[in-house]
Amino acid sequence: MTRSTGTYATVTTLAESVRAFVPFPLPPDAPPLAAESYAELNRHAELALARLSGVAGLVPSVDWLLYSAIRKEALLTSQIEGTQASLTDLFDQEAGFAVSNTDDVEEVVNYLRAFRLVQDNLRDSGGLPMSARLLCDAHRLLLDGARGAGKQPGELRRSQNWIGGTRPGNAAFVPPPADQVAHLLSELERFIHDDGGLLPPLVRIALVHAQFETIHPFLDGNGRIGRLLIAALLEHWRLLPEPVMYVSGFLKQHQAEYYRRLSIIRTGGDWEAWIAFFLEAVAVAAQDAERSIIDIATLVAADRRRMLASAKAGAASYRLFEMLPMMPRFTVERVRRRLETTFPTANAAVKVLQDLGIVAETTGQKTNRSFSYQGYIDLLSR
């Protein structure tokens, strides 16, 4: 299918004249989207999300599902941009342990903060709606103190950027001129808040993400903010009751194809190929998240049975066990603070779980010991 999806504007940057792509407003037209190209894929993806919601609702604590899923999304979306942090690094940072790749972990933590900001605003009737202003606020948190701190955190870019290549003249893609960014985002806002209902929500999210990446409104962090939009809109448009899915896992696994499908929107007008890829990403991510929830729930239930069968387990060890999915790395002192008890009581609770093989000591030391709920971390890290 041939479709024009934008125009070009000639800009001069770094003493080179280049053609910057300016996308047309959404939705695509001339011709309109071919509904038959995505109807079955959309139905399949919506069913996968419905199953995921059902499974998530059967778990005793949605809080620990959210704890792990949001962190996996934060980690994977950051890894697409080249960060090397692992889930263990993130858990160690939260436990107060020393981590070697501090900058990478900080970027992941910043994504968590940015996502919570957007989520809190969209859930609050008095909060900001999905808007350029809200995305700028999220961007400010995303780049706060991290490697992109010198790249105008929280501000729309005031200069020309480009993607790929060593300079504008050999770039793979040159986004719109800076003076058109605010207007293009305003048009994107209008599409997000248009309740015409002609397109399925998942298709609208696919369009929004691709359009945001094409506009590329910031000097840094566009990929992460664009994927944050996906997670936020899945919840905001009630496709998921909570953000228990990590679509960035599929996008990272198929990163080259992810970028190629976005590119052919601009070069060939093939929105349908991108939508098909995105709907497959949602379906696979939902199925992966469903399996992960079942596996984790099975592990936690088995470990709980072992603990309840132990004559040595008491109230403190029960309470500690229920904290483990949201505190998978810890010290006895951290347990003492969380349980609001004495050090000997906390130490005894940890020893019960260690003797049962539920947690393991990781330092091999007699003092300053740290512990890990390793079976759980291994499942999450798959």
Side-chain angles (χ1 to χ4, degrees):
M1 175 179 294
T2 301
R3 178 193 288 118
S4 175
T5 55
T7 60
Y8 287 90
T10 301
V11 296
T12 301
T13 183
L14 297 185
E16 289 187 292
S17 288
V18 292
R19 298 172 75 225
F21 184 78
V22 182
F24 292 145
L26 297 175
D29 59 11
L33 290 174
E36 65 275 9
S37 71
Y38 60 72
E40 184 60 24
L41 289 168
N42 183 72
R43 189 185 72 82
H44 183 59
E46 286 185 345
L47 282 173
L49 290 175
R51 283 196 302 269
L52 173 59
S53 297
V55 169
L58 296 175
V59 172
S61 172
V62 74
D63 287 338
W64 52 259
L65 286 186
L66 292 173
Y67 175 87
S68 59
I70 292 171
R71 280 156 182 77
K72 281 199 78 167
E73 174 64 23
L75 186 76
L76 292 164
T77 193
S78 301
Q79 286 179 348
I80 290 174
E81 306 303 326
T83 62
Q84 301 299 310
S86 67
L87 267 178
T88 299
D89 291 330
L90 190 56
F91 294 148
D92 282 354
Q93 190 269 350
E94 292 179 347
F97 301 162
V99 292
S100 55
N101 46 352
T102 308
D103 287 345
D104 283 0
V105 174
E106 187 175 16
E107 289 190 0
V108 179
V109 171
N110 280 358
Y111 177 89
L112 288 170
R113 295 170 62 209
F115 179 77
R116 288 193 196 100
L117 173 80
V118 172
Q119 185 184 52
D120 289 347
N121 272 275
L122 295 182
R123 287 180 170 184
D124 183 352
S125 59
L128 289 172
M130 186 60 79
S131 58
R133 181 181 167 193
L134 180 57
L135 294 179
C136 283
D137 288 348
H139 185 258
R140 185 174 296 108
L141 289 182
L142 184 72
L143 267 59
D144 178 37
R147 281 182 283 244
K151 296 186 176 178
Q152 300 173 14
E155 298 179 30
L156 301 181
R157 59 182 168 87
R158 298 187 293 273
S159 58
Q160 186 62 54
N161 54 358
W162 67 92
I163 301 170
T166 56
R167 53 185 176 77
N170 63 14
F173 173 63
V174 181
D179 61 5
Q180 298 198 39
V181 166
H183 171 69
L184 291 168
L185 282 181
S186 178
E187 289 181 332
L188 183 58
E189 274 184 50
R190 273 197 294 273
F191 177 75
I192 290 172
H193 297 291
D194 175 18
D195 292 324
L198 297 177
L199 293 171
L202 281 175
V203 173
R204 292 177 70 202
I205 293 173
L207 298 179
V208 168
H209 176 71
Q211 189 81 337
F212 180 87
E213 296 304 333
T214 294
I215 298 169
H216 235 63
F218 303 113
L219 287 184
D220 191 29
N222 292 286
R224 284 167 290 168
I225 293 293
R227 290 185 290 275
L228 185 155
L229 258 173
I230 295 172
L233 289 175
L234 281 169
E235 181 188 348
H236 188 54
W237 286 346
R238 294 180 170 81
L239 290 155
L240 280 176
E242 302 278 0
V244 293
M245 186 178 76
Y246 24 92
V247 73
S248 288
F250 183 93
L251 300 180
K252 178 176 180 288
Q253 186 179 358
H254 303 280
Q255 191 166 342
E257 187 65 6
Y258 169 37
Y259 292 153
R260 190 183 76 83
R261 296 288 180 111
L262 288 174
S263 178
I264 61 176
I265 295 170
R266 304 150 190 158
T267 57
D270 196 348
W271 277 103
E272 284 79 3
W274 159 250
I275 291 169
F277 176 81
F278 179 79
L279 293 173
E280 181 187 4
V282 170
V284 171
Q287 291 159 5
D288 287 348
E290 180 185 345
R291 280 193 295 269
S292 179
I293 288 170
I294 292 169
D295 290 346
I296 291 169
T298 301
L299 171 73
V300 172
D303 287 344
R304 185 182 285 113
R305 284 195 298 272
R306 287 159 66 194
M307 186 189 60
L308 293 173
S310 170
K312 294 182 179 180
S317 49
Y318 294 152
R319 288 173 60 208
L320 170 59
F321 178 79
E322 297 303 331
M323 291 177 180
L324 289 182
M326 296 176 66
M327 192 178 71
R329 303 273 283 180
F330 58 90
T331 61
V332 175
E333 174 57 23
R334 190 181 185 199
V335 172
R336 184 197 68 76
R337 292 196 305 269
R338 290 290 300 274
L339 293 181
E340 297 180 335
T341 188
T342 63
F343 192 90
T345 298
N347 195 50
V350 172
K351 189 174 189 309
V352 168
L353 298 188
Q354 185 182 9
D355 289 347
L356 289 170
I358 295 172
V359 302
E361 204 283 321
T362 60
T363 66
Q365 300 170 181
K366 293 288 179 65
T367 59
N368 299 319
R369 297 176 302 159
S370 62
F371 296 84
S372 179
Y373 189 17
Q374 199 57 44
Y376 170 78
I377 293 174
D378 290 344
L379 277 181
L380 287 182
S381 300
R382 284 193 312 205

